[in-house]
Amino acid sequence: MAKPTTRVLAVLDLLQSHGRMSGPELARRVGVDVRTLRRYIVMLEDLGIPLTTERGRHGAYMLVAGFRLPPMMFTNDEAVALSVGMVAARGLGLAAAQPAVESAQAKLARVMPDGLKRHVRAIADTVKVDLLPSTHTPASNAALIALTTAAQAQQRVSMSYDSAQGSHTEREFDPYGLAWRAGAWYALGMCHLRHGLRSFRLDRMGEVTLREQHFERPANFDALEQLVQGIAGMPRGRSIEVLLHTDLPAARRAFSLDFGLLEPVDAGVLLRSSADDLAWFARQLAGVPFDFEIRTPVELRTELARCATRLRALAG
């Protein structure tokens, strides 16, 4: 249910955009009765908004002729940030993203000075953001809103969830944070059904309901890093261990977070990973700027030797 302040601002927005509206129509659009609407009109007048009231059966409300709300004051940098953000939002797997972005751009354009309007329109028409296309868009944004609210308040939720295998479960979940990766939204946190840290795709969630219980989120929790590490730790084909003769910062620059798990050891950094295609993995190792030692499997050494032979032939 909307708060009174929200409804008062809705009345002002309707009068700003329509010019003249009857009391019953205003009340219907805002979702209140006519008596409540009159209170909102008084509140607007107390705020210094000049209104004209037409009395009688067909009376109406309107803003005083010539009155306009002052434009929102954005710097060029703020306008760029807003505009690029809305361009990116189209590819972030939000329900009804395209109409929502277009509506938001239109509303901003109404209150921006002409110079900034041109900047915003130019960015919307010419800028493209290289995001992976969304492959798993939720049916609505309800779960995203509920989970972000719960994560900020550190409040438990209950939810239904359908796994990739089609099994349906009801769970209680402490959402620590959310992340967008590889075409899908994920919520990460403590699952009380499995008693451990888990990630859940939002497009597989049913209704999400806030509970009264609260929790304490782990300090410095990074939802995206946890998600990527979870993906990196998933078993794929052959298990791999490689000792990297470098330090942890250099190893992280050489490999993406989802390439494998990196652990500092006395001799350098131990890379633990897995792959179905050892030849592909050998090619990734061939490009690193430091020495390394393959511990397991032996077949990875063979693939690296084949890669070296090919490169020598190409160099010759």
Side-chain angles (χ1 to χ4, degrees):
M1 182 177 293
K3 297 180 180 179
T5 302
T6 304
R7 289 192 174 121
V8 171
L9 294 175
V11 171
L12 180 57
D13 184 66
L14 286 167
L15 291 174
Q16 178 86 1
S17 57
H18 290 79
R20 179 184 182 277
M21 293 188 72
S22 69
E25 175 64 11
L26 262 176
R28 185 187 68 80
R29 295 284 291 271
V30 178
V32 297
D33 56 34
V34 174
R35 177 178 292 182
T36 302
L37 175 68
R38 293 195 190 102
R39 292 206 308 270
Y40 292 169
I41 295 297
V42 172
M43 292 171 68
L44 287 173
E45 290 175 333
D46 290 341
L47 290 170
I49 306 298
L51 297 169
T52 297
T53 304
E54 294 178 351
R55 304 294 180 183
R57 180 180 177 184
H58 300 290
Y61 298 99
M62 66 192 77
L63 294 172
V64 169
F67 174 79
R68 289 290 183 271
L69 289 173
M72 288 185 183
M73 301 304 294
F74 292 109
T75 66
N76 284 340
D77 288 342
E78 289 169 341
V80 168
L82 284 170
S83 302
V84 174
M86 285 189 287
V87 170
R90 291 193 180 102
L92 285 177
L94 299 173
Q98 184 72 22
V101 168
E102 290 177 356
S103 174
Q105 287 173 331
K107 288 179 179 179
L108 282 173
R110 287 210 306 266
V111 298
M112 279 184 172
D114 290 340
L116 286 183
K117 282 183 190 178
R118 289 193 293 271
H119 295 329
V120 170
R121 193 175 301 116
I123 290 172
D125 290 346
T126 62
V127 171
K128 300 295 181 183
V129 179
D130 184 16
L131 292 171
L132 285 175
S134 174
T135 53
H136 309 291
T137 302
S140 78
N141 295 323
L144 179 67
I145 294 170
L147 288 163
T148 51
T149 300
Q152 183 186 45
Q154 299 187 64
Q155 190 171 349
R156 186 172 300 173
V157 301
S158 59
M159 67 179 189
S160 58
Y161 192 75
D162 295 319
S163 72
Q165 292 73 34
S167 61
H168 180 84
T169 53
E170 299 290 332
R171 301 169 184 255
E172 291 196 353
F173 178 58
D174 296 345
Y176 295 161
L178 287 87
W180 162 265
R181 180 169 175 80
W185 281 100
Y186 295 84
L188 291 92
M190 176 60 64
C191 173
H192 292 276
L193 179 66
R194 304 303 183 203
H195 306 290
L197 182 66
R198 293 290 188 274
S199 62
F200 298 99
R201 274 217 334 241
L202 267 64
D203 61 294
R204 293 178 181 162
M205 291 183 183
E207 184 176 1
V208 178
T209 306
L210 270 67
R211 311 281 293 187
E212 294 183 358
Q213 299 95 323
H214 285 75
F215 61 86
E216 185 174 348
R217 181 172 46 242
N220 302 318
F221 183 83
D222 187 318
L224 181 57
E225 182 176 353
Q226 290 292 330
L227 175 64
V228 171
Q229 287 188 0
I231 294 172
M234 293 175 61
R236 302 180 187 86
R238 303 294 300 275
S239 295
I240 295 169
E241 282 194 10
V242 179
L243 178 62
L244 310 174
H245 296 300
T246 186
D247 56 21
L248 188 58
R252 285 178 170 166
R253 287 193 295 271
F255 299 105
S256 63
L257 284 173
D258 55 357
F259 192 81
L261 303 178
L262 298 169
E263 178 189 350
V265 294
D266 290 340
V269 177
L270 185 61
L271 168 64
R272 290 191 178 93
S273 188
S274 58
D276 296 314
D277 186 349
L278 292 180
W280 171 86
F281 201 96
R283 291 193 296 273
Q284 309 312 305
L285 288 176
V288 301
F290 42 76
D291 293 340
F292 55 84
E293 173 190 339
I294 296 173
R295 291 188 171 179
T296 59
V298 173
E299 290 84 355
L300 181 56
R301 298 177 188 170
T302 303
E303 293 296 343
L304 186 64
R306 289 174 179 166
C307 180
T309 301
R310 176 176 176 270
L311 292 175
R312 281 196 296 268
L314 290 172

